[in-house]
Structure formats: structure tokens, C-alpha cells
Amino acid sequence: MRTNRDQQSLSYPFRLPDEVQADALRLLDVSREVINAVITSLWDRLDDFGKRTNKYAYKQVQEMTSSPQPHGDRQWRCEAEQAGRILRGQADRKKQFALILPILSQGMLRPKTETKRAGKNRKAIKEALADLREENTDGGSAVELQSLIEQACNYYLTYGCFPDRYEDMQAVPIQQVAVLPYAGDDGGAMGQSYRMSLDLEHKEITFAFRTPDATGKWMRNWRKKTIKMVLPELVLARVKQGQVLAPSLREIKQPDGVRSAVLDFIVEVPITKATEWPSMRHVLGFDWGVRTLVTASVVDLEGHQVGRPFFLDTGPFDGRQARTRRQTDLLKAKVAKLEARRDCFSTGDPRREPALLQLAVLRREIARCWRKYEARNKDLAHLAANVLLLLATASGCELIAGESLKSMKSTGRGKDARGKWRNWRNNSQIRGELWRTLRYKCHLAGIRLEWQQPRKTSHTCPHCGTPADTYRSPAHLDKVNDWGAWLVCSNPACQWNGSRDYAASLNIARLGATFIRHAQTTRRIYHPSIAEAAVKAVSYMGAVAVLRLPPPVPRDRLLDAGRIYCNGWRKSVSLRSSYPTETLLRLSG
Ligand SMILES: [Zn+2]
């Protein structure tokens, strides 16, 4: 999602109808070939793309080269646009590489021992990242910086030294999956490679596009071959708010090799202006929990808790993810067995064949499981973002406070499948997804989103502010457990006790309230830590409301081989809650 000061572009994928799928895929194949040739030929001029000579990426590319396979001027512009976008993205990544280059050290690698292969020392990497402080960022780029460090470590493991230049470790980024943005063409009414019109009354998109035919010849009568797609309410509402931009054509590849083409329908909408600091009154704090997915609480600037906390419990979803995880483990064990059987015979021996065939099937199956698993997680991050935004809106919060992604917390518990999933859920990737989604949705809704220092937020009493211990449960108060789900305040005058995630969400909300008060009095941005006396303790603790995610069955329909299309499902989810009475929450993206 692209953002600028007052506009935001949103993208909605539509699966193209079956009758044009073959045409679309043929077009994407031809385009990809051109795009990849351009990227390859301009790769040694990557630094040039670090500067924007023009708003449009295609113009920058056209200043440097011409089409290796001319088949229409506007078609070439669209191809050049995509090549330019990829090169610009890589040039930005190269700038980030310059940030991590000075901190690369051998301590980030674990030497080979008798029992273990050489590998990466993730703890050292995380520490180096935490030291790499960037002022006033939400830590969102920490995920990208970490991936760059890991890439550099992989290079070290192969070549025995760190790369000197970004290009040493980054292969030419040719496109595996084709994308063709129509932004280089002259628009829906005048376009020479596509035409698109909207009928808002009948809620319909009419689309036509220029493609090569089965013999490779570019069709002349393409404007007459129109297709129609239904415009869902949700997208229609955005269209009425904003401006429709040129769409993109994109290929989707399933693990079993089946390909399909989607049209990314793009709308630019105005964002709501965020409330000015002086008129801010309420904060929603949320914690990405150990036991519950998300816990959220609302406080006012005086530190009074407003209403009851919200617990977003994933219930059956955890179980389903755990099952997929177990299935992957079983398949992996089978693969190991088959590999051993295959290796009983030397290369070229026909007795290897049965094992080889079966291995191919199993590997495809493993890939399919991972895709499903990751798609569900991504889906979950989006749902959690929607819920948080809805809660913030419903309780009149002008700011959402969440812990900084820099903490990269992992729970270090649970060797079983469910525990593994919870660890994965907690990792930077899925939390990064939640943060990114939340950031653009908040931006759109005019709500501020600010990261907070996570240190000690789950080991501090939210009532009196003294450091507190955690325990496995209220029934296990004889033994302190750092990862325990239950927090008990040891201050004899207070003795507050409750869920650790709940306490953390309140503490994070308090940090948010302190953040606002600081901004109001000093007009400066400052992220306090929970130990600082300026943070006011919460004075009222309400009862508890539990929000459960909907049962798994309807969620299945949201996914078609791990992909979500606007014309394939109803983009709304109903949530039942006991808050404040029996409320039906309707969520939409
Ligand atoms: Zn206390």
C-alpha cells in the first residue's frame, strides 16, 4: 500500500473470468520476459535508481534503455514501469544494506560443532539490531534489516566472508511471478493496452486488454472483447470516496503449478486527518499475547481505565494451525525416510526411481501445507488489525499504542505443534504483518498509531506500578514463572492480580497516555519506559469481556488455495461479543 500525506491507495484483487485466463497468462509471460531482460541489463546501474528522476518509474527506465522486444509503445511503458519499480525497490534495499554493513560481525555466526552444522547466531543478530537504533521509527523496518543481516550471514556461510557490496549477495532480482502495472498507459478510457469503465449504478466493472493470441500475434480487435466483473459494496464505497487508478495484472502460482491471473483494482482514497494533540483524550493499548492472540484496553489521559478489556481468542484456529503444523512434521519425517532409501542405491540405479517419484509428491505436499499455514496467519493478522481499529473507533480512541517490533519477543516455550504455532505467531513476521496492516488502516481512519517500549510491560503491576512476578496460573502461586500467564502484585497495599497479557495491554495503554501528555505539554515526541515515574498507574479495573473469533467453517470460504479475491467471497466477518451487551460487530477491510 502506497501512502503519502493525504492520499492512500488500496488494492483489491479480482480473479479474471475463465474465458480470458489463457490470454492473460500469455500476456504476462511475454511481459515478464521483457521485464526480466530490462532488469538484467540495468542491474549494474542500480545506484542510479536510488534517485527519483521522475515520478513514473517507466520514464526513468526509458531514459536509460529501449525495449528489447517492441510490441507496442504503451505495452513497453507498462513493462518498463514494473522493471523500474523493482529496481527502485532494490536500490532502497541497498541503502538499508549500508546501515547494516558496519555492524556485521563473526559473532552473528555459530561455528560448526561435532553435533551441529555451522549456522546463524540469532541472539547476536537480534542484539545488534536492537543497538541499531533509528530515532522515531516504529521498528517496522527492523524486519527488513533483519532479513538483510540474515542474507549477509548466508553469504558468509557459503563464501567464508561477508559481502563488500550489496550486489555481491543479491542475485539479479528477476521476476518469478509476473506483474504488469497499467500505470504506464493512458488510462481506462484512452488506454492502448487496456480499457476499463465502471458502472456504479449496476455495480459492475467492464474491462478489456490487449494480448497476443495463441499464435503469438497481438490481437487487433481486443477492445471489443470485454469482460464484466461485479463490484462488491466494499470496493464501491471506496470508489465513491476516492479516485480509481490504473489497475495491474498479476499472476498467481499455486504450489501444484496451476497458474491464474488476477486484476488488482486500485483506488486512491483521501485519508482522515488525525486528531490534533491537544484534543486527544483516549488511548487503546494492545498486547500481542502469549495465551490470547490480542488483548486490548482503553485508558484516558488521567490513567483511568475506560470500559472493559477485550480478549481476542483464536480458539479453534490455534488447533487447526497446529494440525497443519503436525501434518508438515509427519511429511518431513516421511521425506527423511525416503531419502535414506534412495541413498541405498548409487546415482543412476533404476531402483532409486520409486523413491524419487514419491519424494517429488511429498515435497509438493509440504509446500502446499506451508502456503496454507502462512496464508491463514496473514489472514489472521489482518483480522486482528480490523478488530483493533474497530475497538478504537467504537471507544473514541485517538491513539492506538502497541509494543515496538524491535523487541522480537519469542516465548521459548512449547515443543509441541500448538506451542510451535504460538511461537511462530509471536515472531516478527506475523507481528510485522499486523503492524503494517494496522498502520495503513489507522492512517486511513485518522487514528494515530505509536509504538511503545515493551520492556517490563508484562512484569509491572498496572494498578500501582511496582515490578511484579508472573506465575503459571492462580493455582500455582508457590513458584515464580517468568513466562507464566498470571501476574500478581507483591505490594501489600495493592495485591492486584490478573492475566499477564491484560496487565501488559494496560501498561502499554498507560505508556500511550504518557506519550500524549508529553506531546501536549512539550510538543515533542518521546517514548517513555514503564519504570518512569511519569507514567500514571491505572485506577480502575473493570470486569472482563471475551471476544472470540468466529468458528473456523466460514473462514475457509475466505481462502481459495490460500488466496483471497474480492469477487470470490463476501469480505465481511461477523464477531460476537459480550461487550457491552450482545453486539454484532461487522468488520470490513
Ligand atoms: Zn500493584
Side-chain angles (χ1 to χ4, degrees):
M1 302 291 130
R2 196 163 49 86
T3 57
N4 61 29
R5 214 171 256 282
D6 44 10
Q7 298 283 321
Q8 170 130 7
S9 53
L10 305 170
S11 164
Y12 300 97
F14 286 79
R15 191 184 189 281
L16 288 173
D18 290 344
E19 70 259 29
V20 295
Q21 280 287 330
D23 290 343
L25 290 172
R26 217 179 294 121
L27 170 65
L28 283 166
D29 284 342
V30 174
S31 308
R32 179 177 44 209
E33 221 173 285
V34 174
I35 293 164
N36 285 347
V38 172
I39 293 172
T40 309
S41 74
L42 295 180
W43 183 238
D44 55 1
R45 298 171 69 181
L46 182 60
D47 290 335
D48 293 353
F49 286 92
K51 289 189 295 282
R52 305 279 188 268
T53 59
N54 201 289
K55 179 189 164 199
Y56 290 100
Y58 78 83
K59 289 195 177 160
Q60 195 165 359
V61 168
Q62 283 182 327
E63 287 162 11
M64 298 161 86
T65 189
S66 55
S67 174
Q69 259 187 65
H71 33 237
D73 177 67
R74 294 304 188 269
Q75 172 66 26
W76 159 234
R77 275 196 194 173
C78 296
E79 290 157 352
E81 174 70 23
Q82 180 60 10
R85 285 181 187 179
I86 290 176
L87 288 164
R88 282 179 171 182
Q90 288 289 333
D92 290 347
R93 202 158 181 264
K94 185 174 173 176
K95 284 182 192 164
Q96 287 194 313
F97 176 76
L99 287 179
I100 62 133
L101 188 61
I103 63 161
L104 291 175
S105 80
Q106 292 189 9
M108 293 177 175
L109 295 139
R110 198 167 32 75
K112 182 175 179 289
T113 63
E114 272 181 29
T115 49
K116 268 184 163 174
R117 284 186 302 175
K120 283 167 286 216
N121 181 346
R122 288 185 198 280
K123 205 174 151 222
I125 293 178
K126 279 176 195 172
E127 281 168 7
L129 262 176
D131 291 343
L132 191 71
R133 287 210 180 275
E134 302 156 85
E135 285 294 308
N136 297 335
T137 64
D138 54 27
S141 68
V143 178
E144 281 87 47
L145 292 172
Q146 184 176 2
S147 96
L148 278 164
I149 293 179
E150 295 201 353
Q151 200 178 340
C153 287
N154 288 337
Y155 182 92
Y156 192 100
L157 291 171
T158 313
Y159 300 103
C161 60
F162 284 113
D164 295 325
R165 296 162 64 236
Y166 176 64
E167 289 92 333
D168 291 345
M169 68 167 193
Q170 175 64 52
V172 182
I174 54 167
Q175 276 199 304
Q176 304 295 330
V177 179
V179 177
L180 183 67
Y182 281 115
D185 204 349
D186 304 328
M190 301 292 288
Q192 294 176 37
S193 57
Y194 85 106
R195 291 289 164 97
M196 187 170 78
S197 61
L198 302 182
D199 181 343
L200 297 188
E201 197 183 328
H202 296 101
K203 299 172 188 167
E204 214 171 47
I205 305 174
T206 305
F207 182 72
F209 60 131
R210 180 170 173 263
T211 71
D213 65 16
T215 68
K217 241 178 74 190
W218 289 78
M219 289 192 244
R220 290 187 153 276
N221 60 344
W222 62 271
R223 285 180 196 86
K224 295 201 182 87
K225 195 174 170 182
T226 56
I227 51 171
K228 291 194 187 299
M229 287 175 290
V230 175
L231 199 58
E233 281 307 330
L234 166 86
V235 186
L236 189 70
R238 294 296 191 201
V239 169
K240 285 178 180 164
Q241 270 184 322
Q243 187 196 356
V244 176
L245 302 185
S248 289
L249 205 59
R250 181 164 56 97
E251 171 193 23
I252 285 178
K253 221 180 229 168
Q254 283 166 23
D256 56 8
V258 175
R259 305 195 304 157
S260 55
V262 295
L263 185 75
D264 284 322
F265 182 85
I266 303 165
V267 195
E268 193 173 60
V269 294
I271 56 151
T272 316
K273 215 167 172 299
T275 315
E276 299 292 335
W277 293 110
S279 36
M280 293 179 103
R281 290 286 169 268
H282 295 99
V283 184
L284 179 113
F286 76 92
D287 180 57
W288 189 249
V290 177
R291 294 298 168 94
T292 38
L293 177 69
V294 168
T295 309
S297 306
V298 178
V299 303
D300 66 17
L301 295 197
E302 306 311 310
H304 297 112
Q305 187 177 7
V306 180
R308 290 176 281 182
F310 303 91
F311 293 90
L312 237 134
D313 191 353
T314 42
F317 189 86
D318 271 8
R320 278 181 353 126
Q321 288 301 68
R323 271 199 301 283
T324 310
R325 189 79 200 222
R326 255 196 307 273
Q327 200 182 343
T328 324
D329 287 347
L330 283 175
L331 288 167
K332 276 189 191 155
K334 274 193 195 166
V335 164
K337 235 186 196 169
L338 273 168
E339 279 175 342
R341 196 179 306 161
R342 173 198 65 188
D343 294 341
C344 290
F345 309 106
S346 54
T347 320
D349 192 318
R351 281 171 293 179
R352 282 167 73 97
E353 282 304 310
L356 286 176
L357 280 174
Q358 236 179 312
L359 273 172
V361 174
L362 285 176
R363 291 213 172 99
R364 267 208 302 277
E365 183 63 14
I366 290 177
R368 199 187 63 81
C369 283
W370 273 116
R371 284 282 289 265
K372 193 157 88 178
Y373 188 74
E374 285 178 7
R376 279 205 211 118
N377 277 320
K378 202 171 168 184
D379 206 18
L380 185 66
H382 280 249
L383 186 75
N386 277 336
V387 171
L388 285 173
L389 196 71
L390 189 106
L391 295 179
T393 313
S395 36
C397 294
E398 300 90 0
L399 180 112
I400 295 182
E403 66 184 294
S404 159
L405 288 173
K406 281 183 203 143
S407 66
M408 306 275 174
K409 87 174 161 193
S410 71
T411 60
R413 56 152 59 233
K415 293 268 185 261
D416 62 333
R418 198 179 271 246
K420 272 189 193 170
W421 185 72
R422 283 194 177 135
N423 278 344
W424 199 87
R425 183 176 85 180
N426 253 326
N427 82 6
S428 57
Q429 205 182 345
I430 185 160
R431 289 165 67 220
E433 184 73 30
L434 171 82
W435 194 266
R436 269 189 298 278
T437 313
L438 200 55
R439 188 166 49 194
Y440 92 77
K441 280 175 192 278
C442 281
H443 189 59
L444 210 60
I447 291 177
R448 282 179 199 269
L449 177 68
E450 276 296 335
W451 61 269
Q452 306 299 331
Q453 311 263 16
R455 245 177 84 75
K456 305 269 186 223
T457 49
S458 48
H459 284 95
T460 299
C461 171
H463 194 194
C464 68
T466 46
D469 286 323
T470 52
Y471 304 84
R472 223 180 99 197
S473 80
H476 296 83
L477 299 183
D478 48 331
K479 198 170 156 238
V480 171
N481 177 341
D482 268 353
W483 289 105
W486 197 254
L487 183 141
V488 180
C489 178
S490 54
N491 174 2
C494 170
Q495 294 188 322
W496 185 87
N497 63 101
S499 146
R500 161 226 188 94
D501 295 343
Y502 172 31
S505 76
L506 277 168
N507 284 331
I508 290 167
R510 286 164 54 194
L511 288 172
T514 311
F515 180 90
I516 296 177
R517 286 200 311 272
H518 194 272
Q520 287 176 343
T521 49
T522 67
R523 311 187 64 79
R524 292 237 168 101
I525 300 285
Y526 171 70
H527 293 99
S529 78
I530 197 70
E532 285 170 54
V535 182
K536 287 188 185 172
V538 176
S539 57
Y540 159 73
M541 297 289 142
V544 160
V546 176
L547 262 176
R548 274 201 165 264
L549 284 182
V553 185
R555 305 271 314 143
D556 269 347
R557 289 185 215 133
L558 302 188
L559 293 168
D560 174 9
R563 297 286 163 182
I564 304 172
Y565 308 114
C566 283
N567 48 346
W569 53 290
R570 278 178 27 233
K571 198 169 177 163
S572 69
V573 176
S574 301
L575 278 188
R576 264 177 206 288
S577 153
S578 61
Y579 187 90
T581 51
E582 193 72 3
T583 321
L584 188 71
L585 307 175
R586 279 193 85 73
L587 301 177
S588 58

